[in-house]
Amino acid sequence: MFGISEIAILLIVVIALLGARKLPELARNAGKAARILKSETRAMKDDGAAQEPRAVYEVTTPRPTGSGAAPSAATPPGTPGSPEGGPAGH
């Protein structure tokens, strides 16, 4: 990433632009932001661990969709629900 010389040059530029009076305030605000980020991250991890594990369901056999499925052999022709039709639906 950065070498020591690049970081030193960057610090000199920051001090020259912001001034020596603003630097402690800037460092203090950066520290506060880091602490807030750390505490929020810890809280999110604690919330995730406190939740109960969710059930995982596995489908072992597919359900018939109803469209394009062959009628069962138990339904005789000419009865309601058979492909030949019948009194129901007419």
Side-chain angles (χ1 to χ4, degrees):
M1 294 188 77
F2 291 113
I4 299 217
S5 61
E6 288 90 1
I7 292 174
I9 292 171
L10 185 66
L11 286 175
I12 291 170
V13 170
V14 167
I15 290 171
L17 291 176
L18 297 178
R21 287 181 276 159
K22 295 271 186 177
L23 202 57
E25 180 183 346
L26 190 64
R28 200 174 308 120
N29 288 336
K32 285 180 185 179
R35 279 192 299 273
I36 290 171
L37 181 64
K38 187 176 180 180
S39 67
E40 290 297 324
T41 304
R42 188 177 297 136
M44 286 177 60
K45 285 182 183 178
D46 291 343
D47 286 345
Q51 292 178 354
E52 295 180 16
R54 296 182 181 191
V56 176
Y57 298 101
E58 184 176 326
V59 177
T60 56
T61 57
R63 290 184 177 177
T65 59
S67 62
S72 66
T75 307
T79 58
S82 70
E84 286 82 21
H90 288 274

